Amino acid sequence: MTIDEQVEKRVYNRLRAYDGVEVAGHAPVDSSIASVLSEGEVLADNGEQYSSIQQAVDVSDGFVFVGPGTYYENVVIDKDDFTLQGAGHDTLIDGGNVDNSITVNSDDVVLTSIKVTNQGIQVNGQNPHIESVFVQGSFFGINLNGAAGATVVG
């Protein structure tokens, strides 16, 4: 099984476990979830909505959907086997030139369908999968610090 197939299977299995979300086959996640979130809403896999990505990450067991909007925060992911899913370029995480917009300190993390500005993404874990992530206004973009098994897809 390829890395892409493994990630797709993991996302699909997480969605199936979330009550109220219907997934037909292996449809893209952002078409089924992000479309139901209003601007500025973040959904954790416990079914609760939050206004902060970090709040949702802190309470989540492994999956956070980020709706459209601009989020002025620095997100730290310290959980293995975790997925942060945005609504494409309509989801902007602005790190404010303070620290990394997103820091990953864990293994098997998926970042997908987000836009990051005013700092980049620092990955310190193994096997990250970064897909459809656009970084602007950052000196280093995506820094894979010893991240063996990393995949980065347009």
Side-chain angles (χ1 to χ4, degrees), residues 31-100:
S31 67
S32 60
I33 299 297
S35 63
V36 301
L37 293 177
S38 297
E39 185 159 331
E41 290 183 334
V42 182
L43 178 67
D45 58 7
N46 64 1
E48 298 295 321
Q49 291 185 354
Y50 299 87
S51 59
S52 158
I53 299 170
Q54 191 64 57
Q55 287 175 324
V57 167
D58 291 345
V59 300
S60 174
D61 287 329
F63 211 106
V64 169
F65 296 103
V66 184
T70 301
Y71 300 83
Y72 297 96
E73 57 184 299
N74 305 96
V75 179
V76 178
I77 300 172
D78 289 324
K79 299 178 179 192
D80 290 341
D81 195 33
F82 190 88
T83 298
L84 181 65
Q85 165 82 42
H89 290 294
D90 292 334
T91 300
L92 175 65
I93 301 173
D94 185 333
N97 289 317
V98 177
D99 202 353
N100 299 310

Side-chain angles (χ1 to χ4, degrees), residues 3 11 46 105 121-122:
I3 298 277
V11 169
N46 64 1
N105 295 319
I121 300 171
Q122 172 74 36

Side-chain angles (χ1 to χ4, degrees), residues 106-123:
S106 47
D107 298 335
D108 302 305
V109 171
V110 175
L111 303 176
T112 184
S113 299
I114 55 175
K115 186 175 179 181
V116 174
T117 189
N118 294 326
Q119 286 304 339
I121 300 171
Q122 172 74 36
V123 179

